[in-house]
């Protein structure tokens, strides 16, 4: 029997490509070309499966053009690049990579929080520019982390990891808001108190966004929400671009209506709103929260495991939908 055919839509670890080659006829993308939707459809015309990253959209238009495709395995926990309803309707399986990146991403949330509150990159730029000539009492004075109030919006696995770090590592007072409340056991473990969104916005010294991006969470933080925050507060977004109205945030930062922001994700990334590049009180990183070598390797391997298990007939390990399945 011939092997199923798969496309690996972006360049990934050679050892994972090699592993997949033992199970499938593989078309890889070693030059890491970002294909247009039409090019992607063309390459998928004769494929049974695809390993995607956040940069490929799998929607009704693509699915209509690729009738052979049975599974899209995303190398990401977030899957807002999938139109899950369209995939389910077309009988196409979707999978993601939860758990393997939780702790690494929570670590980075803290790195960004600390860099933002303690003005790490802003002060480094000043030093590199040769502007440091003397000590002064308020030179890059920022805000404290220990003992402050950490607000978390979105309390899934990564949110819980951040809560644990804040409460147990830094003695922070942790509050959170989420669609559903955690169990009393989990709340106790995370030392986190459930509050309404308004209280979260009004009282957090550091507000961490860790919620999924959906049409409902578009611009969860806009001008009105920023206006409710303390002028001394910091905002950290490690979730998705589009959850924050970046133009409204840049304006609030410029007018110092909040103290600072740390952003790993952007509306329309890799484009970054030019107004954000103009303000000094923002730490900007290029969507690297899960980027450690072991974690990215674990993500690639889990995406590969999903493809292998699916075509073995064992069923995907971490599905995001339960389609009836396409005929072969
Ligand atoms: C990915 C992410 O690196 O897992 C996610 O949801 O945002 C990142 O870990 C990115 O989506 C590329 O696939």
């Amino acid at each position: 029997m011939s092997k199923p055919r798969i496309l690996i839509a972006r360049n990934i670890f050679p050892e994972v490509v090699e592993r997949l080659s033992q199970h499938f006829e593989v078309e890889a993308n070693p030059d890491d070309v970002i294909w247009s939707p039409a090019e992607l459809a063309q390459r998928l015309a004769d494929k049974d499966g695809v390993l995607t990253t956040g940069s490929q959209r799998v929607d009704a238009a693509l699915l209509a053009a690729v009738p052979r495709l049975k599974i899209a395995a995303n190398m990401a926990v977030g899957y807002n690049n999938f139109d899950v309803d369209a995939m389910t309707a077309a009988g196409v399986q979707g999978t993601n990579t939860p758990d393997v990146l939780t702790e690494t991403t929570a670590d980075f949330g803290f790195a960004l929080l600390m860099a933002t509150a303690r003005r790490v990159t802003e002060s480094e730029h000043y030093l590199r520019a040769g502007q440091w000539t003397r000590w002064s009492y308020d030179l890059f004075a920022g805000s404290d982390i220990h003992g402050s109030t950490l607000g978390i919006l979105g309390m899934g696995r990564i949110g819980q990891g951040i809560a644990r770090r804040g409460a147990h590592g830094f003695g922070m007072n942790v509050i959170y808001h989420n669609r559903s409340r955690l169990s009393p056991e989990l709340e106790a473990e995370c030392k986190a108190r459930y509050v309404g969104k308004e209280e979260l916005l009004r009282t957090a010294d550091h507000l961490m966004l860790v919620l999924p991006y959906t049409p409902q969470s578009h611009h969860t933080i806009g001008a009105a929400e920023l206006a409710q925050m303390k002028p001394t507060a910091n905002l950290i977004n490690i979730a998705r671009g589009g959850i924050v109205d970046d133009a409204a945030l840049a304006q609030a930062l410029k007018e110092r209506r909040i103290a600072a922001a740390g952003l790993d994700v952007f509306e329309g990334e890799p484009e970054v709103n030019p107004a954000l590049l103009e303000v000094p009180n923002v730490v900007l990183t290029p969507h690297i929260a899960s980027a450690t070598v072991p974690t990215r390797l674990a993500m690639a391997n889990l995406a590969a495991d999903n493809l292998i298990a699916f075509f073995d007939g064992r069923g995907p390990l971490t599905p995001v939908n339960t389609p009836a399945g396409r005929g072969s």
Side-chain angles (χ1 to χ4, degrees):
M1 221 177 72
S2 64
K3 290 176 178 174
R5 293 186 192 161
I6 65 156
L7 178 73
I8 304 175
R10 294 291 307 276
N11 190 31
I12 60 166
F13 296 87
E15 59 264 51
V16 182
V17 177
E18 173 50 36
R19 225 186 116 211
L20 285 165
S21 303
Q22 290 164 16
H23 298 263
F24 305 111
E25 257 182 59
V26 170
E27 179 181 343
N29 182 1
D31 295 330
D32 209 22
V33 180
I34 308 267
W35 292 313
S36 68
E39 286 167 323
L40 181 65
Q42 201 187 356
R43 284 171 195 277
L44 284 177
D46 63 346
K47 303 294 187 300
D48 302 292
V50 59
L51 190 152
T52 51
T53 69
S55 35
Q56 293 77 48
R57 244 197 105 56
V58 181
D59 55 15
L62 178 77
L63 293 166
V66 295
R68 258 187 90 123
L69 191 77
K70 297 168 192 70
I71 177 169
N74 218 26
M75 185 182 146
V77 65
Y79 49 91
N80 54 299
N81 56 315
F82 286 176
D83 180 336
V84 175
D85 290 344
M87 289 170 73
T88 306
V92 172
Q93 180 69 60
T95 64
N96 68 341
T97 59
D99 301 319
V100 291
L101 49 57
T102 301
E103 299 303 327
T104 294
T105 304
D107 282 350
F108 188 81
F110 244 87
L112 204 47
L113 188 162
M114 296 182 79
T116 302
R118 299 304 309 272
R119 307 176 66 176
V120 172
T121 55
E122 194 187 351
S123 62
E124 186 188 348
H125 289 144
Y126 169 91
L127 181 151
R128 284 180 185 273
Q131 290 174 281
W132 185 32
T133 54
R134 58 183 172 173
W135 179 92
S136 58
Y137 80 98
D138 61 348
L139 184 66
F140 292 105
S143 45
D144 268 325
I145 294 152
H146 71 275
S148 66
T149 296
L150 170 62
I152 303 175
L153 191 54
M155 200 57 157
R157 290 163 285 227
I158 298 169
Q160 291 165 35
I162 287 165
R164 285 192 188 93
R165 282 162 178 74
H168 300 290
F170 289 86
M172 297 171 94
N173 164 39
V174 180
I175 54 177
Y176 77 98
H177 183 72
N178 196 39
R179 270 174 312 179
S180 51
R181 214 177 144 162
L182 296 184
S183 68
E185 294 74 28
L186 266 181
E187 280 191 354
E189 205 183 301
C190 296
K191 281 190 157 183
R193 185 168 64 86
Y194 183 82
V195 296
K197 187 178 164 196
E198 210 185 301
E199 186 178 343
L200 189 86
L201 292 170
R202 275 193 294 101
T203 56
D205 295 310
H206 310 280
L207 178 61
M208 179 81 70
L209 306 178
V210 211
L211 63 165
Y213 184 60
T214 62
Q216 292 72 39
S217 67
H218 182 70
H219 286 188
T220 295
I221 303 293
E225 290 74 21
L226 290 162
Q228 291 180 67
M229 292 173 66
K230 292 180 183 178
T232 50
N234 301 305
L235 176 71
I236 314 297
N237 187 6
I238 57 164
R240 276 289 180 274
I243 290 176
V244 175
D245 177 343
D246 284 350
L249 175 61
Q251 193 60 29
L253 289 167
K254 188 173 168 195
E255 294 168 9
R256 304 266 169 180
R257 283 191 270 115
I258 65 168
L263 306 175
D264 187 48
V265 288
F266 304 88
E267 284 189 283
E269 64 183 51
E271 301 298 318
V272 174
N273 188 316
L276 284 171
L277 302 174
E278 298 300 317
V279 285
N281 47 341
V282 58
V283 180
L284 307 165
T285 54
H287 202 148
I288 56 168
S290 68
T292 65
V293 175
T295 291
R296 284 283 167 84
L297 184 58
M299 291 164 69
N301 270 318
L302 179 51
D305 290 341
N306 271 309
L307 289 164
I308 295 164
F310 176 82
F311 285 108
D312 273 0
R314 284 178 282 139
L317 306 175
T318 49
V320 302
N321 64 345
T322 46
R326 276 179 168 181
S328 35

